[in-house]
Amino acid sequence: EDEATESNATLFIVTDLCDGDVDGIEKSESVAKGVGFCVASALSDMHRLGVVHLDIKPPNILYRILTDERTGTMIVKYYLSDFGNCQIVGPSYTDEVEGESIGTYEYMDLRALRDKKCDRRTDCFSLGATLFEILMGRRFYVKPEVFAKYALGREAASVEGEEETAKDDNPHSFDPQLYIPQAERPLQLPPPAW
């Protein structure tokens, strides 16, 4: 059970002790279902309160392995973490915050990067990019330095000796050389808790 206590303008949140983050586990459809359900539920509650997370990515999604007391089977629960970039927005679905880009480039939508405007849709896009990575085993966008050039509307610099590509080329092309490799021996987890 989570408890919150405020002391001298510092907020303390006591939560469950987790076993790790999603970044270091084997990616599978089962993990994607669990992450999708748990994180979407957390985002729904946050968005209803007018708070956007703005940094959803695998390292900010924790997991905890539990044993179901009724059946004795192992289950996994997923938790959204790292609320350091959170911003308060208005009550409307389209209310937004403006300013510097907040979050991790590889999981942000182009609007957040180009226009420096974030809202609830930014979190939804980030969750989609995270689920894409879990299901496909690669990131939705290329490495940050290559993606940033596309996102900011400039021509991309050549990659490993290739000729420069125009800014209207597809930033979603899946050249394996552009992606950050996954862990060599990821941890396998039991099915998620429903």
Side-chain angles (χ1 to χ4, degrees):
E1 183 176 315
D2 294 352
E3 299 175 358
T5 306
E6 195 170 338
S7 171
N8 296 329
T10 301
L11 182 66
F12 298 93
I13 299 176
V14 180
T15 62
D16 293 333
L17 177 63
C18 292
D19 296 309
D21 65 58
V22 174
D23 202 31
I25 63 174
E26 182 177 345
K27 311 301 191 276
S28 68
E29 185 177 336
S30 177
V31 171
K33 286 179 183 178
V35 167
F37 177 78
C38 293
V39 174
S41 296
L43 284 178
S44 175
D45 290 340
M46 289 177 65
H47 290 173
R48 190 173 40 248
L49 295 171
V51 178
V52 289
H53 187 277
L54 302 180
D55 199 19
I56 296 169
K57 59 184 177 181
N60 290 344
I61 301 169
L62 307 178
Y63 69 89
R64 183 174 181 209
I65 301 173
L66 304 166
T67 302
D68 186 331
E69 294 176 7
R70 294 175 296 148
T71 64
T73 58
M74 291 181 66
I75 55 175
V76 179
K77 289 183 83 174
Y78 297 92
Y79 301 88
L80 186 57
S81 69
D82 191 359
F83 298 94
N85 288 335
C86 286
Q87 298 284 321
I88 296 174
V89 294
S92 171
Y93 182 74
T94 56
D95 287 340
E96 57 194 16
V97 292
E98 295 185 42
E100 288 300 313
S101 293
I102 301 169
T104 305
Y105 283 150
E106 298 98 308
Y107 302 95
M108 293 174 70
D109 63 340
L110 292 175
R111 189 173 157 270
L113 289 167
R114 284 185 183 157
D115 303 336
K116 298 185 179 5
K117 294 179 181 179
C118 300
D119 58 22
R120 291 164 176 88
R121 295 170 289 185
T122 305
D123 281 347
C124 294
F125 182 92
S126 297
L127 176 57
T130 297
L131 293 174
F132 179 91
E133 181 176 329
I134 291 170
L135 289 169
M136 302 303 292
R138 61 181 181 241
R139 293 199 174 151
F140 186 69
Y141 289 129
V142 294
K143 291 181 182 178
E145 62 273 8
V146 176
F147 171 66
K149 292 180 187 270
Y150 281 111
L152 299 174
R154 290 186 245 136
E155 288 188 4
S158 61
V159 178
E160 297 189 19
E162 294 179 12
E163 293 181 22
E164 289 192 359
T165 54
K167 67 179 179 181
D168 58 350
D169 282 351
N170 183 2
H172 306 293
S173 61
F174 296 115
D175 180 349
Q177 295 178 337
L178 300 179
Y179 288 85
I180 298 170
Q182 299 292 315
E184 289 183 25
R185 294 181 162 230
L187 174 68
Q188 290 185 322
L189 295 177
W194 298 109

